[in-house]
Amino acid sequence: MRGVNKVILVGVLGKDPETKTFANGGSLTQFSIATSEAWTDKTTGERKEQTEWHNIVLQNKLGEIAQQYLRKGSKVYIEGSLNTRKWTDQNGQERYTTQIKGQQMQMLDSANGNNQQQAQPQQPPQQPKPTYAKNPQAQPPADLDDDLPF
């Protein structure tokens, strides 16, 4: 049986994204986002909050978009998969890092939001693409008659 490795996060960037470019033309962008949950302790009535930090890795064009538009404090939706990699530190110790390999990203800050000054694009934004119904050919004709008897 095959498993499912899917992660969906909505959080806030802890610092600006960092991009590494490789000789083959590819790139890797990394940043962390914080997610928080809050609850009221039933025994004390005290309000509590727990914050988790998630390491995000985006490749190539998606990472370049993140680098261009996201800044510390930006709200973002990330969809991807968990990825654990093994590496060796300076002392020869084997270490493991778990990160989210992002496949989709949605920037959640509005253009007029608090983050407008921080998230200014470095290039002019492209015109938004029009949205269509599932079948764009199924549009009603423009010359409908209203001479219906009911």
Side-chain angles (χ1 to χ4, degrees):
M1 180 175 129
R2 297 180 67 176
V4 176
N5 182 359
K6 184 162 189 148
V7 176
I8 297 175
L9 296 170
V10 175
V12 179
L13 267 74
K15 64 178 184 174
D16 290 352
E18 297 176 2
T19 300
K20 295 177 186 173
T21 305
F22 302 106
N24 66 1
S27 64
L28 193 70
T29 302
Q30 296 180 305
F31 54 92
S32 354
I33 64 171
T35 58
S36 297
E37 67 176 309
W39 69 94
T40 303
D41 188 316
K42 291 181 180 178
T43 58
T44 65
E46 182 183 352
R47 185 93 173 133
K48 300 216 174 191
E49 183 174 343
Q50 180 178 354
T51 301
E52 284 288 330
W53 286 94
H54 311 275
N55 296 319
I56 311 297
V57 177
L58 304 176
Q59 295 178 335
N60 302 320
K61 188 64 176 169
L62 188 59
E64 292 168 19
I65 292 168
Q67 175 68 43
Q68 185 176 7
Y69 290 97
L70 296 179
R71 297 290 173 260
K72 178 180 178 178
S74 295
K75 294 176 189 166
V76 67
Y77 166 95
I78 299 288
E79 190 172 314
S81 58
L82 277 178
N83 181 321
T84 302
R85 63 183 177 87
K86 181 175 158 181
W87 55 283
T88 306
D89 69 9
Q90 295 173 343
N91 299 328
Q93 294 277 339
E94 288 185 350
R95 305 264 183 189
Y96 294 88
T97 300
T98 300
Q99 53 199 15
I100 311 302
K101 186 176 179 183
Q103 287 130 7
Q104 293 185 31
M105 175 186 70
Q106 179 71 44
M107 295 169 278
L108 300 178
D109 288 321
S110 67
N112 298 327
N114 295 340
N115 238 10
Q116 183 179 12
Q117 183 179 9
Q118 294 178 350
Q120 286 293 325
Q122 296 169 354
Q123 298 175 353
Q126 296 177 350
Q127 292 294 330
K129 294 182 181 177
T131 56
Y132 298 99
K134 286 185 179 179
N135 183 359
Q137 303 301 324
Q139 300 294 329
D143 61 343
L144 285 179
D145 253 348
D146 286 338
D147 295 337
L148 298 175
F150 49 88

